[in-house]
Amino acid sequence: MNMVLKQSIDSDEACARTQVRAGFSLPAYYYEAAERYAKDMAIMRETSWFLSGHASRIPKTGDYFLIDIDNESIIVIRAKSGAIRAFYNVCRHRGSRVCLEQSGHARLMICPYHAWTYDADGQLVGAPDMPAWFDKAEYGLKPCHVDTVGGMIFVSLARGAAPSFEDFTAKMKPFMELYKPENTRIVALDHLSCPANWKLVVENFAECYHCTASHKEYGRVHDLAAMMSYTPEAEGGWLQRLKASGVWREGVLDDISSPHLQAGMQMLIGRGALSGGSTGKPMAPRLGELPEWTGIWTAVVFNPMSQVAFYDDHIILFTFIPRGPTETDCVLAWLVRDDAVEGQDYDPAEVAYMWRHTIAEDKKICANNQLGVASAAYQPGPYSSTETRAVETVEWYLRHFVDVDAQ
């Protein structure tokens, strides 16, 4: 990098850091500067796991899907052994993308450029007209880290050892065990591109200060005040009832020292609703080992980019994937019990309705937020008293991305 340019970038970073105020949104630099985004991704690559999908999406050997993280394309595939593997979607010949469709089945993966051919284990099995010294065994697809919990697939792009997956998942397992996500399957899948920085997207998802004004349909079914209040007396002793039945799990709420900023909590839907659809009524068979319809939903935050919502009858996977300084992909998957029959036990459009509607509103919110941040008139504003998790998300970001990068 040109030395003058580097000094200018370093000066911009230092200036932005001095403008940070506790309890206020970040200076615009952190939401739009390309050099800051590059630093974010260099750190995220080494420290983060990304929720990438569910094992039900690739049931047979050769079934695959792609997940794009920043400028990387990753092939997630069912290997010949039945294990789930992940590879960089980069041909070892001259670097072309190998798989061009977002999902499919490939007994063999054939590069469209020069027909180098790979099997489901990533091994090079065909390379036409190569010299005698060439050894195919040395030119398999480059692997990346992949692991699963409850059927949910996570990918890490760490160049060395990945962060401990056991540490990453341990505190969240008690919340998931009730619902048995490994015994579910995807029934709807959405992929939205949001023109906003990843931090604006995850801040928005960390607070419900905007819900009353922006999510009318969500608030029609979910009692926002009841969800936030944790007042069991007002709802007929629901908390005591759930504790007696064994359904209740004590909440987890990491502070900003945590590398992942995890959370696990159960909240009352309210208004007598038993599920999160348009009517509040059950939409599919009850999941896992739930002994009754509870009227709650469980939020599991593995990290700000990878979150899961569990209702009694369906699960929603949320992944927020940085793709550029002002671009974030929002990938949602809805799951129901794997023995449920479409048209008889559930309607996929109804299962997806509430959060499909809500995430579309969130996309608009975040896009408008990015446009406002880009204005010369923007200056950081104070968070409300109900936006505590958004404040903590910003403080976590500063501690684990900005201040670490400066050391």
Side-chain angles (χ1 to χ4, degrees):
M1 180 184 293
N2 178 282
M3 184 58 67
V4 174
L5 177 59
K6 182 181 185 303
Q7 289 173 346
S8 175
I9 290 172
D10 290 346
S11 176
D12 290 344
E13 177 85 36
C15 180
R17 188 65 180 93
T18 64
Q19 295 171 1
V20 171
R21 296 177 62 185
F24 280 67
S25 60
L26 291 169
Y29 174 86
Y30 293 108
Y31 295 126
E32 59 183 8
E35 60 271 15
R36 183 61 251 175
Y37 172 78
K39 292 177 180 180
D40 287 355
M41 293 314 302
I43 293 169
M44 197 177 293
R45 172 188 286 270
E46 302 301 326
T47 61
S48 299
W49 286 96
F50 290 90
L51 177 57
S52 303
H54 190 269
S56 65
R57 194 174 177 190
I58 47 173
K60 302 190 298 292
T61 296
D63 289 349
Y64 77 91
F65 64 86
L66 305 182
I67 179 167
D68 297 326
I69 303 172
D70 189 26
N71 63 343
E72 299 287 5
S73 175
I74 305 299
I75 304 166
V76 180
I77 191 167
R78 183 74 69 170
K80 289 184 286 187
S81 67
I84 294 173
R85 302 286 304 278
F87 302 98
Y88 287 89
N89 189 12
V90 180
C91 183
R92 295 295 308 283
H93 177 216
R94 287 171 57 189
S96 172
R97 292 281 173 91
V98 177
C99 295
L100 304 185
E101 300 296 327
Q102 282 300 117
S103 63
H105 175 82
R107 187 179 65 86
L108 295 172
M109 295 176 281
I110 304 174
C111 177
Y113 196 4
H114 299 99
W116 279 34
T117 302
Y118 304 87
D119 65 15
D121 292 328
Q123 297 301 306
L124 181 65
V125 296
D129 303 320
M130 296 303 292
W133 58 261
F134 180 75
D135 183 359
K136 291 196 293 290
E138 296 181 4
Y139 288 88
L141 294 174
K142 292 282 189 180
C144 72
H145 304 286
V146 64
D147 215 325
T148 64
V149 63
M152 293 178 285
I153 304 167
F154 288 82
V155 165
S156 164
L157 302 185
R159 289 181 171 87
S164 167
F165 194 71
E166 177 58 31
D167 291 347
F168 179 67
T169 57
K171 290 188 291 186
M172 300 297 103
K173 287 178 180 178
F175 295 96
M176 299 188 292
E177 64 186 5
L178 291 167
Y179 302 95
K180 302 296 182 188
E182 64 272 20
N183 297 329
T184 64
R185 61 185 173 85
I186 293 176
V187 297
L189 182 67
D190 283 3
H191 188 145
L192 294 80
S193 179
C194 180
N197 182 270
W198 69 274
K199 293 183 287 296
L200 292 179
V201 174
V202 299
E203 281 183 61
N204 173 72
F205 216 68
E207 52 89 357
C208 210
Y209 186 46
H210 71 281
C211 291
T212 300
S214 302
H215 297 318
K216 303 294 186 184
E217 189 70 1
Y218 183 83
R220 184 178 61 78
V221 173
H222 299 74
D223 187 332
L224 303 179
M227 285 170 52
M228 302 295 287
S229 67
Y230 294 96
T231 52
E233 313 80 32
E235 297 292 336
W238 64 274
L239 181 53
Q240 288 84 348
R241 176 174 56 81
L242 294 179
K243 284 184 174 180
S245 70
V247 170
W248 182 254
R249 299 289 185 268
E250 293 298 327
V252 170
L253 196 66
D254 282 357
D255 63 31
I256 65 169
S257 66
S258 160
H260 304 299
L261 198 68
Q262 296 186 329
M265 61 190 72
Q266 294 172 312
M267 292 167 282
L268 189 68
I269 302 172
R271 305 191 193 285
L274 297 178
S275 187
S278 62
T279 66
K281 297 178 181 178
M283 300 183 292
R286 202 161 58 236
L287 297 174
E289 298 178 356
L290 292 170
E292 59 177 315
W293 293 96
T294 66
I296 64 172
W297 70 281
T298 299
V300 167
V301 180
F302 287 99
N303 59 34
M305 295 76 68
S306 302
Q307 308 190 29
V308 185
F310 296 88
Y311 290 84
D312 285 1
D313 56 357
H314 69 289
I315 301 169
I316 314 157
L317 312 183
F318 301 88
T319 308
F320 306 114
I321 307 176
R323 296 299 308 283
T326 58
E327 182 181 359
T328 304
D329 283 354
C330 304
V331 183
L332 279 70
W334 289 263
L335 302 96
V336 302
R337 214 167 71 187
D338 56 11
D339 61 355
V341 178
E342 182 177 346
Q344 176 180 310
D345 295 322
Y346 71 94
D347 174 357
E350 174 61 14
V351 171
Y353 169 79
M354 183 61 71
W355 271 105
R356 181 171 280 165
H357 187 84
T358 302
I359 204 70
E361 292 171 332
D362 279 329
K363 173 182 175 179
K364 184 175 181 180
I365 290 166
C366 294
N368 286 334
N369 198 173
Q370 186 71 59
L371 291 172
V373 165
S375 169
Y378 169 75
Q379 61 183 41
Y383 291 99
S384 77
S385 59
T386 68
E387 294 175 280
T388 54
R389 201 55 174 173
V391 172
E392 290 168 348
T393 301
V394 166
E395 292 174 345
W396 169 82
Y397 167 73
L398 291 169
R399 179 167 181 162
H400 293 277
F401 287 78
V402 176
D403 293 342
V404 166
D405 174 64
Q407 293 173 1

